[in-house]
Amino acid sequence: MKVIQSLYDRSMSEHGLFAKDVLDEIIPRLKANAHYFRSKGSIFSLAPSNKYIWTARINIKPFYVTLCKYSYTYWTLPDLELKMIDCYRLKGEVEEYFRNKFSILVEI
């Protein structure tokens, strides 16, 4: 698991995009697919894109975010084969940025 502490970290993208740009792309999808589990105190979400599936586990108290990125192929549907690429633990300014963008759901 990689720790991401800067909005300008490039390790979340193979194309050299900043962490901020990657988050700006996936947060709307994560918000649309978020499910809050009150008993666990966590929000779980899934954000499919053309090349990857991103998953998120957002713990409410104490607040922390874990994002995982998986690759998949269309031609294996419906038996979707996922391959985990990496997981990222957000900290510092990146965690605060994520919290602000996800603010409505996090304040539950």
Side-chain angles (χ1 to χ4, degrees):
M1 180 178 297
K2 295 179 183 174
V3 176
I4 307 296
Q5 295 184 341
S6 169
L7 291 171
Y8 302 102
D9 190 316
R10 295 179 186 265
S11 63
M12 291 179 77
S13 168
E14 288 97 37
H15 305 294
L17 296 175
F18 293 129
K20 179 186 181 303
D21 298 327
V22 173
L23 292 175
D24 285 342
E25 181 182 332
I26 65 172
I27 286 175
R29 293 184 199 139
L30 289 171
K31 284 175 83 170
N33 294 313
H35 299 282
Y36 179 55
F37 294 91
R38 193 174 306 274
S39 63
K40 295 188 180 290
S42 297
I43 297 172
F44 294 93
S45 187
L46 177 106
S49 67
N50 289 340
K51 193 172 179 183
Y52 305 110
I53 293 177
W54 288 86
T55 61
R57 179 172 188 251
I58 304 152
N59 198 64
I60 303 299
K61 291 181 184 176
F63 185 80
Y64 67 84
V65 179
T66 304
L67 295 172
C68 292
K69 180 168 65 169
Y70 299 85
S71 64
Y72 69 99
T73 53
Y74 279 113
W75 55 85
T76 59
L77 292 172
D79 299 325
L80 188 64
E81 293 180 16
L82 297 175
K83 179 183 176 195
M84 183 188 290
I85 296 173
D86 214 339
C87 286
Y88 307 93
R89 170 76 161 82
L90 306 185
K91 286 190 172 184
E93 68 177 350
V94 180
E95 184 179 66
E96 194 59 35
Y97 182 80
F98 187 94
R99 182 183 204 142
N100 291 338
K101 290 285 192 172
F102 229 81
S103 63
I104 294 172
L105 293 174
V106 169
E107 294 172 2
I108 292 174

